[in-house]
């Protein structure tokens, strides 16, 4: 039935590169586990926007968190995991550690200093600063942006010629 040799198979396309999540490949193992010592950002409730540390795990959905209060303003209390955003940072503490142990571990591992250097913390800080601007400061910012934009346009016009 065939009228000659079959055509050669089509060349195979190369595999697309694996998708990436930030600095890690998409197939990399998940690392932000709920564990004692994990630094977290509270996203909802009276302490929203404050940092806390997971001290103990109650069940699948709830954890005990502590600031400590004199460092971050968060008292020790139970909280749903849903209301936390876990960070990559973790202090080495035993489960159910008391406040003094937690404070020394945070200082030893420099967890809060490392947090303040992350892009996430800087973004939150910048958002707070923008929210606290007065009307006159917003006006000065607008004028500075206009001035910068005009200077950029002049430079871009020169480079086009």
């Amino acid at each position: 039935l065939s009228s000659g040799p079959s055509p050669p198979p089509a060349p195979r396309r190369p595999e697309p590169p694996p998708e990436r999540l930030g600095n890690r490949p998409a197939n990399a193992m998940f690392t932000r586990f709920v564990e004692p010592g994990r630094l977290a950002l509270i996203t909802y409730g009276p302490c929203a926007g404050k940092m806390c540390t997971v001290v103990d795990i109650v069940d699948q959905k709830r954890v005990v968190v502590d600031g400590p209060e004199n460092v971050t303003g968060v008292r020790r209390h139970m909280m749903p995991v849903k209301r936390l955003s876990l960070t990559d940072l973790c202090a080495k503490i035993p489960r159910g550690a008391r406040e003094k142990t937690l404070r020394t571990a945070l200082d030893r591992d420099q967890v809060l200093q490392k947090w303040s250097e992350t892009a996430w913390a800087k973004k939150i800080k910048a958002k707070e600063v923008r929210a606290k601007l007065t009307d006159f400061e917003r006006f000065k910012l607008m004028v500075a942006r206009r001035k910068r934009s005009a200077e950029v346009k002049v430079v871009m016009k020169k480079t086009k010629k």
Side-chain angles (χ1 to χ4, degrees):
L1 293 161
S2 68
S3 62
S6 62
R12 290 185 59 173
R13 278 194 258 157
E15 293 273 331
E19 296 296 319
R20 295 190 69 78
L21 296 171
N23 296 338
R24 286 183 288 137
N27 59 357
M29 194 177 102
F30 182 78
T31 56
R32 287 186 189 175
F33 297 109
V34 178
E35 59 184 322
R38 175 72 58 189
L39 192 70
L41 176 71
I42 300 174
T43 58
Y44 184 83
C47 296
K50 293 182 180 177
M51 298 307 297
C52 66
T53 310
V54 175
V55 176
D56 200 355
I57 299 160
V58 178
D59 59 26
Q60 195 75 20
K61 295 185 176 187
R62 293 175 301 165
V63 293
V64 175
V65 297
D66 194 351
E69 188 175 9
N70 60 355
V71 179
T72 64
V74 178
R75 297 175 69 177
R76 184 174 289 227
H77 66 285
M78 194 165 45
M79 172 165 249
V81 177
K82 249 188 215 179
R83 295 184 178 186
L84 297 175
S85 288
L86 301 176
T87 66
D88 289 332
L89 304 171
C90 194
K92 185 86 174 103
I93 60 168
R95 189 171 169 203
R98 58 191 202 140
E99 190 173 342
K100 184 179 177 185
T101 309
L102 174 62
R103 200 171 36 249
T104 56
L106 290 175
D107 289 340
R108 183 185 63 238
D109 298 341
Q110 297 181 337
V111 174
L112 293 172
Q113 290 87 338
K114 289 176 186 174
W115 164 252
S116 62
E117 294 165 7
T118 62
W120 188 359
K122 289 175 184 173
K123 186 177 177 182
I124 291 170
K125 184 73 175 163
K127 198 178 275 191
E128 287 174 4
V129 168
R130 279 196 306 272
K132 290 180 182 174
L133 288 178
T134 64
D135 187 39
F136 184 57
E137 289 170 332
R138 280 193 295 273
F139 171 76
K140 289 194 296 189
L141 182 64
M142 179 195 69
V143 170
R145 281 185 177 160
R146 280 185 184 173
K147 188 176 178 183
R148 183 182 66 188
S149 179
E151 289 173 2
V152 168
K153 282 180 183 176
V154 168
V155 170
M156 292 303 288
K157 208 171 194 180
K158 284 181 183 176
T159 57
K160 278 191 174 181
K161 288 182 181 181

